[in-house]
């Protein structure tokens, strides 16, 4: 029998919202997952949402549904029409059978719509869509109010416990409120009071349409983070007006999708915006929901204990672990699957028009397809998993969850594989949460762990199945003056070449080295080598960008200090600066398509590096080089890549593209760019030129097939070494084990 964790008393306590009571303060906030757009996916969406209700979420809010065709996000985007709402009865029924409560979010895209019917407060085009929005006529505004009310009534008729109005993130309601996007001269836009008329009219019409028993939530933007956004007085007047018109709950939102300040990626400090939620809470008499980077239940509890909010929105954390609330209730907080806010499998996928899932939980959004069916005891198999990187760890957990007898082998003394290195990158500190959770989860699942053991093929003959998850090795570099060691573990001077020094060569050397110190990214991030003051990084993929940030980021990391982070990004108090952004960050919006999501736009190259010392000197000069002619970081995630590129520019990292590497000698790194030869004078060269699969054990097992041989399954980097894709590796591992 489990005992509820005493450390989460507030988070797990019920709350009366006026229309009904929720069983705890955990809200699964609105998040589009790609199952909303087609009514044919209603069964899959029901399974996805009901799983979170069974896991104990106090309140669930769906992804956004438009009240009419004009407001759809895409031409075939989600709309709360009669056909769709009729299909949603299965969703509300399954959530209610799991003792859950659920709201439908109504979202009009406004000028963010990606289709020619886009309409907004005024004519114009947003940075996120190639389509120019038309100006809604006065009658068009009134019809939109009526459409919101009709859609809300249909939602309640379909069994929803209420609706949420999306008034944040720069969508239509938010567009009417901001001076930058509403310069109308009629009753819908002449001054701050007139700009509030439309959202207040929508709230009042919806309240009347859904009746006295349904809940009405409004997602309010507390910090627009765009030039010409709202100021704090306007936001508070709006909040009080919404409550007067029957809004029961205010859910807080931070940042427009076109904002040049990150608000949801892993480099944003935890609960960075909770003080603004507290300020709102002091000005209204309804419950307030805090959001944005509150991923850790312990942090959520702290926010509640400090009186900063009444409820906590934890959308992505409930993707990662749909049973997070139940685990807290049962005293199993250490077994919660953590969300690391990487966005790789969720938001990045959605903004590419794909179905969302989760790096840490590949079953998210695929509950009816990726099923871990328990096996009967007589069908149990002995499963060996070799390699304790993300793929191996999740393979072991999935196999144990199905009921197999699992032993996990790891050649080193630590779990986590290359994720350990990722956790050392400034801005990715939350990755360490995953490293801390795996040992507890493995122990709870009954997985046997053998650290410091590199099994041979002979050692594995007693198993029925062997999952090879041995990962990757750094790719060898064929460059005059430099070669990697035969086992791929690190670089060494080429035979007969200049005095190029590999990791560890300097210790105890009789003479000073005469050439650059050549190391791999693993040498650097695992602490086997120290970089110099002038560094060249060969390879500008995801690892190269991470290494560049590791070498150039401010210390200590702004991610660990909310005030330092706000100074770093120019975030201001909306009571002092309209939109909550310093004037010097108000550069022109990026070109269309340069980003999307809450972190969707690209900071301008001429933005000041706020963390540079007053004398302009930098501690280290870093060169980042790639063979391709494309922009460095072009292949990074849609919602995170622009943040990394902005940080590199801030830090003054020198970027080289279209590079042909020639040689390394005592002078430095020689390259050719186009027809020009260049010498990059450095004292350290870091190799980030890709990886190769380490599958020697798999090959040995496959070559020695006999009647006693186990079945061999190769997953993760051992199967495909292209980049380091933990999401693909984990998904492949779980899919493989589901078939054992």
């Amino acid at each position: 029998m489990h005992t509820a964790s005493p450390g989460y008393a507030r988070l797990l306590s019920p709350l009366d919202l006026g229309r009904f009571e929720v069983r705890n303060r955990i809200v699964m906030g609105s998040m589009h997952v790609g199952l909303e757009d087609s009514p044919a996916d209603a069964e899959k969406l029901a399974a996805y949402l009901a799983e979170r209700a069974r896991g104990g979420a106090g309140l669930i809010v769906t992804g956004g549904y438009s009240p009419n065709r004009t407001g759809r996000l895409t031409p075939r985007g989600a709309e709360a029409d009669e056909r769709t709402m009729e299909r949603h009865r299965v969703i509300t029924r399954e959530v209610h059978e799991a003792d859950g409560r659920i709201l439908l979010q109504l979202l009009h895209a406004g000028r963010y719509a990606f289709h020619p019917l886009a309409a907004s407060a005024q004519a114009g085009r947003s940075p996120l869509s190639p389509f120019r929005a038309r100006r809604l006529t006065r009658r068009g505004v009134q019809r939109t109010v009526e459409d919101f009310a009709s859609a809300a009534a249909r939602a309640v008729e379909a069994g929803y416990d209420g609706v949420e109005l999306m008034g944040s993130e720069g969508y239509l309601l938010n567009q009417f409120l901001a001076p930058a996007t509403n310069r109308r001269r009629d009753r819908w836009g002449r001054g701050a009071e007139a700009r509030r008329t439309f959202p207040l009219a929508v709230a009042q019409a919806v309240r009347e349409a859904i009746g006295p028993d349904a809940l009405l939530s409004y997602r309010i933007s507390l910090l627009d983070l765009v030039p010409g956004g709202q100021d704090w007085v306007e936001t508070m007047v709006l909040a009080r007006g919404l409550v007067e018109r029957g809004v029961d709950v205010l859910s807080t939102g931070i940042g427009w999708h076109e904002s040049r300040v990150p608000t949801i990626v892993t480099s944003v400090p935890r609960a960075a915006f909770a003080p603004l939620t507290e300020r709102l809470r002091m000005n209204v008499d309804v419950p307030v929901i805090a959001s944005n980077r509150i991923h850790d239940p312990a942090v959520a509890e702290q926010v509640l204990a400090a009186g900063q909010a009444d409820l906590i929105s934890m959308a992505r954390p409930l993707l990662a672990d749909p049973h997070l609330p139940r685990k807290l209730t049962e005293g199993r907080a250490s077994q919660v699957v953590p969300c690391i806010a990487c966005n790789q499998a969720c938001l990045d996928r959605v903004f590419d028009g794909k179905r969302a899932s989760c790096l840490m939980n590949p079953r998210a959004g695929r509950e009816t397809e990726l099923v871990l069916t328990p096996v009967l005891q007589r069908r149990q198999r002995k499963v060996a998993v070799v390699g304790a990187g993300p793929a191996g760890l999740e393979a072991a957990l999935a196999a144990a969850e199905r009921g197999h007898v699992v032993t996990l082998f790891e050649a080193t003394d630590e779990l986590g594989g290359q994720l350990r290195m990722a956790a050392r990158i400034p801005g990715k500190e939350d990755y360490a949460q995953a490293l801390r959770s795996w040992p507890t989860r493995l122990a709870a699942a009954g997985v046997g762990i053998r650290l410091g053991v590199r099994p041979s093929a002979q050692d594995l003959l007693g198993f029925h199945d062997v999952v090879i998850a041995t990962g990757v090795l750094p790719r060898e570099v064929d460059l005059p003056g430099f070669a990697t060691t035969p086992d791929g573990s690190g670089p060494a001077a080429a035979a007969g070449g200049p005095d190029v020094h590999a990791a560890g060569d300097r210790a105890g050397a009789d003479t000073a080295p005469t050439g650059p110190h050549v190391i791999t990214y693993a040498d650097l991030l695992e602490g086997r080598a120290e970089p110099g003051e002038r560094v060249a990084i060969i390879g500008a993929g995801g690892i190269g960008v991470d290494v560049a940030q590791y070498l150039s980021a401010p210390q200590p990391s702004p991610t660990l200090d909310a005030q330092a982070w706000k100074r770093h990004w120019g975030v201001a108090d909306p009571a002092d600066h309209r939109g909550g952004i310093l004037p010097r960050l108000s550069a022109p919006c990026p070109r269309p398509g340069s980003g999307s999501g809450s972190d969707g736009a690209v900071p301008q190259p001429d933005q000041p590096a706020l963390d540079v010392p007053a004398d302009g000197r930098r501690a280290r000069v870093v060169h980042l080089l790639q063979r391709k002619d494309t922009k460095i970081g072009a292949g990074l995630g849609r919602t995170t890549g622009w943040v990394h590129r902005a940080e590199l520019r801030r830090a003054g990292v020198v970027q080289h593209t279209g590079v042909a590497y020639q040689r390394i000698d005592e002078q430095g790194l020689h390259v050719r760019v186009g027809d020009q030869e260049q010498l990059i004078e450095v004292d350290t060269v870091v190799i980030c030129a890709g990886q190769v699969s380490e599958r020697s054990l798999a090959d040995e097992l496959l070559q020695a097939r006999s009647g006693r041989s186990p079945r061999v399954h190769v997953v993760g980097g051992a199967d495909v070494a292209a980049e380091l894709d933990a999401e693909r590796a984990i998904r492949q591992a779980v899919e493989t084990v589901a078939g054992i």
Side-chain angles (χ1 to χ4, degrees):
M1 182 175 177
H2 300 287
T3 303
S5 303
Y8 301 100
R10 294 175 181 83
L11 190 61
L12 298 175
S13 63
L15 180 65
D16 186 351
L17 298 180
R19 313 294 170 174
F20 53 76
E21 183 178 86
V22 289
R23 53 189 165 185
N24 56 52
R25 309 300 180 93
I26 299 173
V27 178
M28 184 172 183
S30 177
M31 181 176 175
H32 203 82
V33 295
L35 293 171
E36 296 86 355
D37 297 337
S38 173
D41 286 328
E43 296 283 350
K44 294 177 181 178
L45 185 58
Y48 161 74
L49 295 171
E51 182 77 6
R52 276 74 198 164
R54 283 191 292 273
L59 181 65
I60 295 171
V61 184
T62 70
Y65 287 79
S66 176
N68 54 32
R69 291 181 62 197
T70 301
R72 292 180 178 183
L73 283 165
T74 63
R76 298 183 181 275
E79 181 181 345
D81 54 21
E82 291 184 10
R83 176 169 171 258
T84 300
M85 289 300 96
E86 182 62 31
R87 296 293 295 269
H88 275 221
R89 292 182 184 276
V90 65
I91 296 173
T92 57
R93 182 176 66 250
E94 291 200 22
V95 169
H96 290 151
E97 287 177 354
D99 295 325
R101 294 285 190 170
I102 185 167
L103 308 181
L104 181 92
Q105 187 186 77
L106 293 174
L107 180 157
H108 191 297
R111 71 189 192 121
Y112 283 171
F114 204 84
H115 55 73
L117 298 180
S120 185
Q122 66 189 42
R125 185 166 57 83
S126 83
L128 306 184
S129 173
F131 297 96
R132 179 178 174 82
R134 61 181 170 84
R135 178 184 183 272
L136 282 167
T137 65
R138 283 175 288 182
R139 176 59 188 138
V141 176
Q142 186 58 52
R143 280 198 302 267
T144 304
V145 172
E146 296 164 3
D147 289 341
F148 268 100
S150 298
R154 286 193 290 271
V156 173
E157 175 64 23
Y160 282 98
D161 297 296
V163 296
E164 177 173 274
L165 300 175
M166 171 49 98
S168 183
E169 269 76 12
Y171 291 113
L172 182 67
L173 296 177
N174 212 173
Q175 291 163 23
F176 264 86
L177 289 164
T181 49
N182 184 357
R183 294 190 293 272
R184 300 174 70 105
R185 304 303 299 168
D186 58 13
R187 64 183 290 253
W188 304 105
R190 190 184 295 112
E193 183 177 357
R195 290 195 298 269
R196 288 191 291 272
T197 304
F198 175 62
L200 292 176
V202 169
Q204 182 168 331
V206 168
R207 175 79 273 167
E208 294 171 358
I210 63 178
D213 298 326
L215 188 80
L216 177 55
S217 172
Y218 186 98
R219 187 164 171 88
I220 186 171
S221 179
L222 294 188
L223 196 63
D224 291 342
L225 295 177
V226 292
Q230 301 164 92
D231 65 27
W232 188 253
V233 172
E234 293 168 355
T235 301
M236 291 303 98
V237 174
L238 171 68
R240 289 190 286 269
L242 291 168
V243 173
E244 291 170 1
R245 285 158 179 80
V247 168
D248 301 301
V249 176
L250 289 172
S251 178
T252 59
I254 304 294
W256 286 27
H257 286 327
E258 63 200 81
S259 170
R260 295 180 232 14
V261 177
T263 60
I264 55 175
V265 300
T266 192
S267 60
V268 177
R270 298 179 181 184
F273 307 105
L276 282 178
T277 307
E278 178 182 16
R279 201 186 302 178
L280 169 66
R281 186 171 183 258
M282 294 170 61
N283 281 273
V284 294
D285 295 324
V286 297
V288 172
I289 305 174
S291 68
N292 289 68
R293 287 292 286 129
I294 308 178
H295 287 62
D296 187 336
V299 175
E301 179 72 17
Q302 292 168 10
V303 169
L304 295 174
Q308 294 179 308
D310 300 285
L311 302 105
I312 305 294
S313 177
M314 303 182 77
R316 287 176 295 169
L318 287 169
L319 265 185
D321 194 336
H323 297 278
L324 180 153
R326 189 173 302 282
K327 288 179 179 179
L328 298 182
T329 301
E330 295 174 350
R332 297 187 290 139
S334 62
Q335 296 176 33
V336 168
V337 181
C339 168
I340 58 177
C342 65
N343 290 356
Q344 185 176 341
C346 53
L347 296 179
D348 284 349
R349 279 195 177 179
V350 168
F351 293 128
D352 281 335
K354 302 175 183 177
R355 193 195 311 183
S357 187
C358 177
L359 182 147
M360 296 295 296
N361 174 23
R363 294 191 63 245
R366 302 174 66 197
E367 285 76 14
T368 62
E369 300 154 84
L370 183 49
V371 180
L372 296 177
T373 307
V375 296
L376 298 174
Q377 187 170 3
R378 68 175 182 273
R379 294 185 179 274
Q380 281 183 336
R381 298 179 67 85
K382 292 181 63 178
V383 178
V385 179
V386 184
L393 290 162
E394 290 300 322
L397 285 165
E401 182 179 338
R402 291 196 61 206
H404 296 303
V405 179
V406 184
T407 303
L408 175 64
F409 296 89
E410 167 56 36
T412 72
D413 293 329
E414 294 183 82
L415 303 176
Q418 303 229 4
L419 198 67
R420 296 200 310 269
M421 289 182 266
R424 297 187 174 98
I425 306 301
K428 292 187 175 181
E429 289 85 359
D430 270 9
Y431 285 28
Q433 280 189 295
L435 299 175
R436 290 191 292 270
S437 78
W438 270 312
T440 305
R441 293 162 57 205
L442 289 166
V447 175
I449 304 174
R450 299 188 63 185
L451 296 177
V453 176
R454 190 186 300 270
S456 66
Q458 186 68 28
D459 296 330
L460 300 172
L461 292 180
F463 291 90
H464 298 110
D465 292 83
V466 176
V467 179
I468 301 296
T470 43
V472 298
L473 296 172
R475 184 183 299 279
E476 295 185 12
V477 175
D478 183 13
L479 189 63
F482 168 76
T484 50
T485 53
D487 65 357
S489 60
D499 190 11
V500 181
H501 291 260
D505 285 352
R506 294 186 174 185
D510 295 329
T511 59
T514 59
H517 190 204
V518 183
I519 60 177
T520 67
Y521 67 87
D523 294 325
L524 176 69
L525 297 177
E526 292 186 339
R528 295 192 295 269
E530 289 293 327
E533 299 304 307
R534 298 172 300 155
V535 182
I537 302 169
I538 293 180
I543 295 175
V545 169
D546 274 355
V547 168
Q549 288 190 238
Y550 178 81
L551 293 170
S552 63
Q555 294 296 331
S557 170
T559 299
L560 305 178
D561 183 337
Q563 293 308 312
W565 179 87
K566 289 176 182 177
R567 290 193 301 270
H568 183 68
W569 281 98
V571 177
D573 190 325
D576 300 326
H577 296 276
R578 182 171 287 279
I581 191 167
L582 294 177
R584 57 181 165 176
L585 292 184
S586 57
C589 289
R591 65 185 184 280
S594 60
S596 33
S598 296
D599 303 295
V602 180
Q604 301 301 307
D606 58 353
Q607 286 180 333
L610 303 179
D611 56 302
V612 176
D615 60 7
R617 289 184 293 107
R618 296 180 184 280
R620 179 178 288 121
V621 176
V622 178
H623 297 262
L624 182 58
L625 304 95
Q626 72 175 18
R627 294 183 185 274
K628 297 178 182 178
D629 289 321
T630 56
K631 177 174 60 178
I632 283 179
L636 300 177
R638 290 282 295 275
T639 63
T640 56
W642 74 270
V643 181
H644 296 305
R645 291 189 292 269
E647 292 286 23
L648 295 182
R649 286 194 294 269
R650 284 179 187 276
V653 172
V654 185
Q655 301 180 35
H656 308 260
T657 60
V659 174
Y661 304 107
Q662 295 184 307
R663 67 185 183 279
I664 298 174
D665 60 20
E666 62 277 0
Q667 294 179 297
L669 174 63
H670 295 260
V671 301
R672 187 179 70 253
V673 180
D675 296 330
Q676 300 294 319
E677 293 191 0
Q678 297 181 17
L679 168 64
I680 301 177
E681 298 183 28
V682 292
D683 48 40
T684 308
V685 176
V686 183
I687 306 300
C688 302
Q691 303 81 30
V692 294
S693 296
E694 167 48 78
R695 51 172 299 141
S696 56
L697 179 59
D699 294 338
E700 185 180 351
L701 284 166
L702 291 170
Q703 290 170 6
R705 295 300 294 264
S706 68
R708 297 177 55 214
S709 297
R711 292 192 301 182
V712 179
H713 316 269
V714 185
V715 301
D719 179 43
V720 178
E723 281 297 328
L724 287 185
D725 190 343
E727 186 271 330
R728 183 199 62 80
I730 290 174
R731 173 166 40 85
Q732 182 189 27
V734 175
E735 289 173 344
T736 297
V737 169
I740 292 179

